[in-house]
Every structure is written in structure tokens, then in C-alpha cells.
Amino acid sequence: MELILRVRYILWGPFTVLLILGTGAYLTWQSKFVQVWCLPRLLHSSRQDSKAGGLSPWQALCTSLGGTLGVGNLAGVAAAITFGGPGAVFYMLLAAFFGMATKYAELVLAVRYQKPGKTPLGGPMVYLSRGAGCPRLAKLFSICCIVSALGTGAAAQGGAIAEAATRVLPIPPLAVGIIAAALLLPILYGGGQRIAKASAVLVPAMTVLYLAGGMAILWVSRARLPAAFAAIWQGAKQPLAAGGGIFGLLTAHAVADGFAKGVFSNEAGMGSAPIAHGCTAGVQPCQEGMLGAVEVFLDTFIVCLTTALVILVTGAHEMGLAGLAMTAAAFETVFGMFADGFIAITIIFLAGSTVLGWGFYGLACLRWLGAGKFAQMLYPCGAALSVAAASLFPLSNLLVLCDIAAALMALPNLYGLWLLAPQVRQETNGFFRRPVNPISKIKVKRKNRVH
């Protein structure tokens, strides 16, 4: 485990931290500070109905959120605080702020360079190949995504389901993993459309339920909120206060864990969400991109920050616990005996939706690589087996592996974003020249699109 941790901190060392910050800052400028204008513009814009054969924008958003919202929002935030202290929360939010521009750019490019067909196909593997002219890098990304879908998307979520369920039910972890795999397998076999329909139901319901519980705790403990924010700020300043200079800041665990868990949670720069949004039909690049920016905001600034504040105001981070146990202990301070059940239900459904979302990504990458029907039929079985097998391993170890997988996916994707950033600016400038019409449908004319 010590070797794996060392690899993890190498991958999330100064180079990766600077690359994520630099990419986000560069794309913030290229997108005209999308963090500021995306929500007002999205609320006043009209969207075209999707054409038959692709996902609807709502299904794409829920599928992407399904792959995003999961164990990272509960156990991942707790793990960041465990390894990096409260200051890791600050760097998680910093990564998310720039991540809004990064994900906006990812989705703009996914739709701009979308491969048309009866079922459209888009994502980093498409824009790396068709836009950046890097087909080998596109294949590398696809392979990393397929592996990550079995790890981040299946194993980590299966481990979380097993840990959450065994806290409330006298069932062996392996039995929980097998049951979860058996329930998810039929949906995975249903392909992209069935996954999208299931995500459109599961994700909104469980997100609202979890936030309601978290807000209840924050209301009860509102007197301790100022101290929680102070702990986050003081923890964020500690690397600089220690006299280590900029290198000391970049190598601090608070920074590494904040950025790693931020990317693991909202997946900005990781290249996964563009795969779902790239499969929509009849949409305009920048309007789809705005959904990505809002998605990061919802994931990190709303859900993850709620989890972090709940942990800090209840003092759960000082109880000697880690991961999901820490989050559950925080909820126990208000909900008592019902907390384990509440967390278990939330984790089971959010983690289940994440397995489905990543299953969609894995299948899309297999399609891009030209895999036959047999491989595409076999892949859901691999995901289900990964869910079941993960129940035998500690969740904390699986989360470390997920950080490694996130870095391996992010590096080729970030390279492509730097190459194609001028295209993001071109699309954004064109989008601002179009009048906002909140009533009539906007007839989209894509300029300079690759077909």
C-alpha cells in the first residue's frame, strides 16, 4: 500500500496540480469567464429538442451526474480531510472553480467534433483524434477510460455499497456485492438508452434527499459554521505558513488531496462527462458546455461542500474515523440510529448510478475502438464482477487507486484541451453573437463542424 500511495502522490504532484490549475485558468480566459455568465445565460436560453437516436440533454446531464455523484461526494470528501486536513476542502473548491471552465470546454469540443450517426458519438477520444489530430492519444485515453470504468466506476462504487450496506444489515460484504452486481447487470446490458433513463430517475431523487439531510444538520449546528470555514481557511494557509514557498505549497498533502478528490468527484478535466454529452443529438456546443459548468458547481460547491461542512461542524474528523465511517458518524450526531440507514440508502443509489454512468463511458470507448458485439456484451459482465469483487477490499485502498486512474485519464485529455482551446474561444464568440431567445426554438447552425 505504501508503494501505491507513493505513486499516487507522484501522479498528483506539482506537475499535475500546475497543469490542472493552468488549464482551468487558460480555459477560463478562452471561455470569457464562463463561471460568471453560464447560469444566467442557461436560464434565459432555449434548447432544441434532441433528435431520435441520441440522448436528450436532460438524459445526458443525468447520466453525466450519475457518473459524477457517488462515493466521491461522501467518502471521497472524508478521505481528503483525513489525508490533507480541513485545508483540502479549500483546494477542492479551487479546483472546482477552474474546473467549471475545463468541463465547459470539454463539452463544447465533444459536441463540435461529434461523430454523427444513428447513435452519435463524442468525447475526448473523438476530439483528440478528429480535432487535435492525435489518434494514438485518443486510443490511449479510450483504454484508460475502459480500465477506469471497471475501477473508479465499478470497483470503488461496489466497495462503497458493501461498506454502507453492512453497517445496517447483517450480511457478508461479498453477498452485498453479488446482489448489487445482479441488480445492475440488466440495466448495463440495456445499453446507453436504458442507462440514461435509469439515471434520469435515480440521480435527481437521491441528490435532493441527501442535500435535505445535510442541510438539516447544518441548520442544527449553524452556530459552528463560522469555526468550520475558519478551519478550512487556516488549513489552506498552513503550507505557506510553514515556510516551504511555492514548492512546499504544491507538494503539501492538503493541496494534492484537495485537487485529486476534486477531480475524482466532479471529473472536470478527467474526460468522462464529455462522452455522455457528446452522444446527444441536435444540440449546440456552447449550450451543452454550460450544462457542464453548472454540473461542476452542483457537484462540488453544493454536494461536496455540504459533506465537508457536515463533517467539520459535527467534529467527525476528530473521532479517529476515515472515509464513509466519518461521514456516517457526522450524520449520527443529528439523526442518531437512523443515520446509518440514511447514508446506506444514499450511497447505494448514488453509487449504483455511478456504475451505470461509467458503464456508459466504457461502452462508448469500446465502440470508438471498433470492438465487436461480443466485447460490448462481455463488458457489462466485467463491470458487474468488479462491483462484486470490490466488496472484499477496504474502500480507502480503492479510493487511492481511483486517484491514480483519474490522473491517467486526465493527462491525455488536458493535453488535447490545450491544443483545442482556440476552438473553444471561437465557439464561445459565435455563441455570444447569437441573440438570446427565451420563447422560440433556436435553430442551430454549426460553423466549421467536422463531419
Side-chain angles (χ1 to χ4, degrees):
M1 186 61 192
E2 184 178 347
L3 176 61
I4 295 176
L5 278 171
R6 190 176 302 172
V7 171
R8 176 236 187 272
Y9 280 114
I10 290 174
L11 286 173
W12 286 102
F15 173 77
T16 306
V17 170
L18 283 174
L19 181 60
I20 292 175
L21 268 177
T23 303
Y26 181 46
L27 292 172
T28 293
W29 175 64
Q30 293 283 32
S31 65
K32 298 178 179 292
F33 286 83
V34 66
Q35 298 94 328
V36 177
W37 60 260
C38 66
L39 187 57
R41 189 88 180 187
L42 186 64
L43 292 175
H44 289 88
S45 294
S46 174
R47 298 186 57 81
Q48 279 194 304
D49 294 327
S50 63
K51 301 174 184 177
L55 302 185
S56 71
W58 173 251
Q59 287 177 332
L61 177 63
C62 288
T63 301
S64 178
L65 276 174
T68 302
L69 295 171
V71 64
N73 299 87
L74 283 76
V77 174
I81 295 175
T82 299
F83 291 118
V89 179
F90 174 84
Y91 294 103
M92 184 183 297
L93 297 177
L94 182 63
F97 175 80
F98 290 111
M100 291 176 69
T102 302
K103 188 169 275 194
Y104 166 81
E106 288 178 304
L107 269 57
V108 167
L109 295 173
V111 176
R112 178 183 173 91
Y113 292 103
Q114 183 184 70
K115 185 179 179 182
K118 184 178 179 181
T119 303
L121 185 64
M125 63 283 190
V126 181
Y127 60 69
L128 280 171
S129 178
R130 309 182 84 202
C134 303
R136 292 184 179 179
L137 206 59
K139 289 181 180 179
L140 175 63
F141 172 86
S142 297
I143 294 170
C144 289
C145 182
I146 292 168
V147 175
S148 294
L150 297 175
T152 299
Q157 311 306 321
I161 291 172
E163 183 173 325
T166 52
R167 289 176 63 89
V168 295
L169 296 172
I171 303 176
L174 182 58
V176 173
I178 292 173
I179 293 171
L183 292 174
L184 290 168
L185 190 58
I187 303 177
L188 290 169
Y189 262 121
Q193 288 291 341
R194 187 178 296 179
I195 290 172
K197 289 177 181 178
S199 298
V201 176
L202 289 176
V203 174
M206 295 315 303
T207 302
V208 170
L209 176 64
Y210 177 71
L211 287 176
M215 292 300 173
I217 294 176
L218 294 181
W219 174 254
V220 171
S221 307
R222 59 189 179 278
R224 291 190 286 273
L225 275 173
F229 282 110
I232 293 172
W233 177 240
Q234 290 300 323
K237 293 193 301 180
Q238 279 180 357
L240 283 175
I246 188 64
F247 185 78
L249 175 66
L250 294 174
T251 56
H253 283 197
V255 183
D257 283 288
F259 273 81
K261 290 301 183 290
V263 173
F264 172 50
S265 178
N266 60 52
E267 297 177 10
M270 195 172 172
S272 52
I275 299 174
H277 290 272
C279 292
T280 56
V283 294
Q284 199 266 349
C286 290
Q287 286 186 318
E288 202 68 23
M290 289 188 293
L291 288 180
V294 172
E295 183 181 301
V296 174
F297 180 82
L298 291 174
D299 175 271
T300 308
F301 283 92
I302 303 298
V303 182
C304 285
L305 183 57
T306 297
T307 301
L309 291 175
V310 165
I311 289 171
L312 294 175
V313 299
T314 58
H317 61 301
E318 299 173 343
M319 296 180 183
L321 301 171
L324 197 56
M326 182 190 295
T327 307
F331 275 80
E332 282 176 6
T333 60
V334 172
F335 292 107
M337 60 181 294
F338 299 104
D340 283 341
F342 177 82
I343 291 294
I345 292 172
T346 304
I347 279 288
I348 287 170
F349 281 95
L350 285 182
S353 67
T354 301
V355 175
L356 297 178
W358 275 90
F360 183 95
Y361 303 152
L363 288 170
C365 285
L366 281 173
R367 282 175 53 205
W368 170 255
L369 291 172
K373 289 186 177 180
F374 178 75
Q376 294 184 43
M377 291 290 288
L378 193 63
Y379 189 77
C381 290
L385 286 173
S386 186
V387 169
S391 61
L392 300 174
F393 299 94
L395 179 59
S396 58
N397 293 354
L398 294 173
L399 290 176
V400 173
L401 293 174
C402 289
D403 291 342
I404 295 174
L408 293 176
M409 280 184 65
L411 291 174
N413 180 53
L414 292 172
Y415 176 75
L417 291 177
W418 274 93
L419 291 179
L420 296 172
Q423 307 304 320
V424 175
R425 188 173 186 85
Q426 182 185 39
E427 288 285 352
T428 304
N429 288 338
F431 179 66
F432 271 93
R433 286 194 291 267
R434 299 187 187 101
V436 177
N437 189 341
I439 300 175
S440 64
K441 299 289 183 181
I442 300 174
K443 192 171 184 178
V444 179
K445 293 182 179 180
R446 299 181 188 170
K447 297 181 179 180
N448 302 321
R449 290 290 305 281
V450 177
H451 292 287

